[in-house]
């Protein structure tokens, strides 16, 4: 079963935004056993959109379209689809009500442009977009399925997860697919490969193992395809357990979750609390943690101590330490972690101080120099990382390294 | 002059990596007045690649191809291009020397597979890839230009900047192109459209206006195409100024930057400092701000006061306030902002407290209820937002609303 993704909108073609939607959608489709044949980004131009539709329907069974559904003149996806399928328009009352409700809730007056969001091509099935005013439209035409979704990522994601994927599973006879992901940290990809080589060599052809490395963490994904769902499930699980047993000290989760979610789950189970003291990561670790529902059971809060003044007043770092060793030093980060643990009254505290760049480096402490400390009831451990010269990457790598360090301490603490 | 980008490789189609190359390339092409008509990602499959080439050459003058140039069997771009243009192969001695040098430098033995990197289709011009072993190939066939580049981002970027862009400029008489972006906040897309309708209707056909809305901020982009660069620049600027004058109270930047960057720029110019006190946004505002280089000139830091204890100990929120009104209340958020301003010793402080969800809502304070306060030397202003039930979205919307509120106060402060 083949799918294609068509992204509509000039903002991708002029390079203003990176198309992250398509990769996400491709991943979801692959998970249900639907291969993506092509991803095309085309302009807000009717003739061009129609050409893309014609070509996609020759190659694929399902065509997923994102973008071009806004209320303004430059958004022409809906009009173009109606023209392509030779349909008139009808007003969808449920959508009108939904749009009206949204405007009422936001306490904003509604204008004709907004009402037009409820006008849809005759023969499409409207799927309610919980998170926005543009409705999602499902077409069954030319013997294929077409779905038009808004390009706003969270609107599209919600629709894909809650509506489109379940409907596609129903519409097609898809083979059983079972994925099992093992999240590892504190070990590199090639070391991991050597460790589990003998298990990998025994895998039958219908079970594949993928290494998905990303910034200091490696996900191992076993994917099995078959006809008997239950049998397949058992078979994949049995290989997964062999792998988990072999590399147990690097396994942080037996499911496809984020590293910080694995951390939250472990700490919650053990009723431990956590606080953060961030300098160069600037709140990114706190953000990673608090994006997860229920994080407040573990995470009490923290300080984003960008200035030296705040390192002193919020965390109790000594002025002499900052003067003698500098803000980016083992001594400072150690006091930051200990201070956070004490002042925020938590079982664990993590602190990060570094030079994210692009400026601020010196010969002794070049851009990318990052100190991390983790404090718990037993000790404060520190680690020096030397990353590269890209600010965003340094922030992300520091955060991942900090989370991995806490996970490592949790394991020590358990032993 | 039109270009197309074809990305070859299964890793994009299975959603393993996000195609960031294409947006970057599109931006570079746009800067020299070359419009990108379509971006296509296709699989490592000869027939599919050929189909993509055939379609692209019908629409565009230049076809830029990335990926599929590795030494292994699954990389078939070079073979496919030779087949498509009906060419034999020749060994390029300069490339062979380059590959040999690289292996010598890495102190690795070279095998036949590596030597094959130097075999190129007869009639192509080889462009040296300074950063890797796969040569870049320039074809002039079927009356069009085709360029095949490696997919590794820094190899491609170097080739584009140093070789391809200069050659394209030489090869074509390119029109001048000029984009002007206006960033607005605190106004919806359709209101904006109504406000500037009469200006939009007067735009000549060679100047287009696009609305790029995203969570409470809307970017307006004017794009002009012409022959006289200076004239075009003036013309687009003149329409931009008309728009800016008309909607001046919503304009936060006259360039294409992030909302928080606009805020940092304004505050830096006025030598004002900022701190944050975040509950439900959990460090996200701090992260948005600190991802920008130089933010430390304005941003001193802040507290991620997730627990009530931290709201009291770090920000000085009174226990009675929390008991009487709750953590999500106007009173609490007001004390948070005032406390941050005072304890972190900054000119401005912003505080956010809300129920991000999915749990924690009550009939009086449903999920999505968010209080925001901004404190400066004159006053503390507060605002109640009622968003939806999606956690990630509530966090993002709260952050954008908070940033917009600070921008609004900065404007008041100026008047």
């Amino acid at each position: 079963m083949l799918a294609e993704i068509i992204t509509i909108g000039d903002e991708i073609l002029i390079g203003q935004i990176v198309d992250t939607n398509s990769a996400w959608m491709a991943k979801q489709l692959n998970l249900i056993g639907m291969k993506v044949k092509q991803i095309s980004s085309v302009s807000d131009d009717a003739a061009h959109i129609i050409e893309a539709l014609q070509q996609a329907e020759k190659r694929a069974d399902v065509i997923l379209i994102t973008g071009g559904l806004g209320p303004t003149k430059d958004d022409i996806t809906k009009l173009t689809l109606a023209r392509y399928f030779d349909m008139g328009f009808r007003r969808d009352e449920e959508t009108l009500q939904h749009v009206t409700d949204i405007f009422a809730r936001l306490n904003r007056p509604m204008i004709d442009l907004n009402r037009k969001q409820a006008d849809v091509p005759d023969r499409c099935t409207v799927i309610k977009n919980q998170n926005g005013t543009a409705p999602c439209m499902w077409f069954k035409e030319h013997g294929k399925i077409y779905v038009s979704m808004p390009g706003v990522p969270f609107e599209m994601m919600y629709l894909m997860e809650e509506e489109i994927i379940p409907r596609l599973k129903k519409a097609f006879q898809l083979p059983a697919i079972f994925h099992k992901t093992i999240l590892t940290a504190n070990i590199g990809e090639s070391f991991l490969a050597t460790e589990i080589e003998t298990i990998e060599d025994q895998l039958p052809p219908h079970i594949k193992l993928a290494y998905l490395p990303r910034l200091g963490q490696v996900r191992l994904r076993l994917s099995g395809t078959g006809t008997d769902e239950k049998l397949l499930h058992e078979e994949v699980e049995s290989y997964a357990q062999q792998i988990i047993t072999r590399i147990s000290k690097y396994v942080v989760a037996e499911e496809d979750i984020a590293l910080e979610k694995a951390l939250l789950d472990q700490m919650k189970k053990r009723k431990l609390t956590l606080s953060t003291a961030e300098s160069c990561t600037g709140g990114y670790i706190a953000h990673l943690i608090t994006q997860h529902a229920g994080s407040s059971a573990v995470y009490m809060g923290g300080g984003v101590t960008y200035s030296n003044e705040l390192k002193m007043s919020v965390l109790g770092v000594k002025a002499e330490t900052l003067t003698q060793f500098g803000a980016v030093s083992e001594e400072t980060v150690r006091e930051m972690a200990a201070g956070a643990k004490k002042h925020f009254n938590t079982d664990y505290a993590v602190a990060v101080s570094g030079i994210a760049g692009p400026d601020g480096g010196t010969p002794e402490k070049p851009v990318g120099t990052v100190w991390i400390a983790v404090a718990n009831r037993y000790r404060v451990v520190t680690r020096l990382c030397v990353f590269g010269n890209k600010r965003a990457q340094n922030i992300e790598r520091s955060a991942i390294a900090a989370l991995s360090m806490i996970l490592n301490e949790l394991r020590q603490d358990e032993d």
Side-chain angles (χ1 to χ4, degrees), chain A:
Chain A
M1 211 51 60
L2 294 175
E4 294 224 356
I5 298 169
I6 299 175
T7 306
I8 297 172
D10 291 342
E11 59 276 22
I12 290 170
L13 297 173
I14 67 160
Q16 192 166 25
I17 62 164
V18 171
D19 172 25
T20 53
N21 279 352
S22 297
W24 187 89
M25 290 165 78
K27 205 173 193 173
Q28 307 311 308
L29 292 168
N30 265 275
L31 288 175
I32 58 163
M34 205 159 223
K35 265 189 86 168
V36 176
K37 184 74 184 162
Q38 180 165 328
I39 299 169
S40 316
S41 294
V42 303
S43 54
D44 292 306
D45 168 88
H48 192 191
I49 295 171
I50 287 175
E51 190 187 307
L53 290 168
Q54 282 166 340
Q55 287 164 359
E57 76 179 27
K58 275 187 212 149
R59 291 180 297 247
D61 310 286
V62 175
I63 295 103
L64 298 178
I65 305 149
T66 61
L69 291 184
T72 51
K73 283 181 205 167
D74 55 323
D75 287 312
I76 56 162
T77 302
K78 198 159 66 175
L79 274 172
T80 308
L81 283 168
R83 191 176 126 195
Y84 184 56
F85 297 129
D86 197 17
M87 292 180 190
F89 277 88
R90 63 181 170 88
R91 177 150 289 192
D92 186 68
E93 291 304 328
E94 210 182 319
T95 303
L96 185 63
Q97 190 56 52
H98 175 57
V99 174
T100 310
D101 290 348
I102 289 179
F103 275 79
R105 203 172 62 218
L106 296 173
N107 210 4
R108 286 211 204 135
M110 200 162 122
I111 57 175
D112 254 357
L113 266 181
N114 306 119
R115 255 171 230 114
K116 277 204 175 161
Q117 296 275 41
D119 293 341
V120 296
D122 306 357
R123 296 189 309 274
C124 80
T125 305
V126 171
I127 299 173
K128 189 174 174 180
N129 173 6
Q130 300 272 9
N131 300 297
T133 53
C136 171
M137 295 167 288
W138 175 288
F139 299 86
K140 211 168 167 177
E141 299 288 328
H142 306 178
K144 312 276 172 161
I145 286 172
Y146 303 76
V147 186
S148 163
M149 282 172 279
V152 181
F154 70 84
E155 296 183 21
M156 176 281 291
M157 287 177 181
Y158 182 84
L159 283 163
M160 278 291 284
E161 282 177 340
E162 301 296 320
E163 302 283 351
I164 309 307
I165 292 289
R167 280 168 203 247
L168 288 176
K169 275 184 176 168
K170 249 196 213 164
F172 296 98
Q173 200 77 357
L174 295 172
I177 281 199
F178 183 73
H179 301 278
K180 168 85 181 183
T181 300
I182 303 163
L183 174 62
T184 71
N186 299 308
I187 183 171
E189 182 183 5
S190 39
F191 280 93
L192 212 46
T194 311
E195 289 275 337
I196 60 174
E197 195 176 11
T198 56
I199 303 171
E200 192 173 356
D201 288 344
Q202 286 166 33
L203 289 176
H206 67 285
I207 299 182
K208 310 246 179 245
L209 175 66
Y211 291 80
L212 309 169
R214 198 176 153 267
L215 296 175
Q217 46 188 317
V218 181
R219 280 174 174 71
L220 296 172
R221 193 183 59 218
L222 285 165
S223 304
T225 315
T227 46
D228 186 330
E229 203 172 328
K230 195 167 160 283
L231 203 72
L232 184 69
H233 194 297
E234 283 167 9
E235 207 180 1
V236 171
E237 270 297 348
S238 129
Y239 284 106
Q241 288 312 319
Q242 281 186 53
I243 293 174
I244 290 163
T245 308
R246 179 82 57 92
I247 55 164
S248 63
K249 62 178 170 169
Y250 306 112
V251 175
V252 297
E254 298 182 18
E255 53 185 321
D256 189 13
I257 56 175
L259 196 64
E260 70 279 0
K261 182 67 169 70
L263 174 68
L264 283 170
D265 290 349
Q266 288 189 26
M267 292 190 82
K268 190 176 177 182
K269 213 165 136 195
R270 290 163 63 181
K271 293 193 180 15
L272 294 167
T273 56
L274 174 69
S275 62
T276 51
E278 301 184 66
S279 188
C280 72
T281 46
Y284 185 59
I285 298 176
H287 165 59
L288 287 179
I289 291 170
T290 57
Q291 67 185 326
H292 297 283
S295 48
S296 60
V298 168
Y299 183 65
M300 298 298 110
V304 182
T305 54
Y306 229 49
S307 70
N308 280 349
E309 289 66 33
L310 264 69
K311 286 185 186 73
M312 294 186 282
S313 66
V314 176
L315 302 171
V317 174
K318 291 198 281 289
E320 310 88 88
T321 309
L322 289 164
T323 316
Q324 194 177 343
F325 304 101
V328 179
S329 65
E330 184 171 14
E331 291 76 7
T332 296
V333 85
R334 182 181 282 276
E335 288 184 23
M336 286 170 70
K341 183 178 172 302
K342 184 179 157 199
H343 296 297
F344 304 149
N345 192 25
T346 52
D347 300 310
Y348 273 72
V350 65
V352 185
S353 186
I355 301 151
D359 307 312
T362 63
E364 309 86 62
K365 293 178 188 173
V367 167
T369 303
V370 178
W371 276 100
I372 306 174
V374 175
N376 63 16
R377 59 185 165 154
Y378 299 114
R379 57 177 186 162
V380 182
V381 288
T382 58
R383 186 182 155 197
L384 170 65
C385 298
V386 183
F387 301 123
N389 54 6
K390 298 264 168 230
R391 185 178 182 85
Q393 255 180 45
N394 287 338
I395 293 173
E396 187 149 11
R397 287 190 170 185
S398 302
I400 298 299
L403 294 167
S404 300
M405 249 177 97
I406 310 172
L407 280 160
N408 206 36
E409 283 309 295
L410 280 171
R411 191 182 304 276
Q412 308 285 331
D413 193 354
E414 196 174 36
D415 292 343

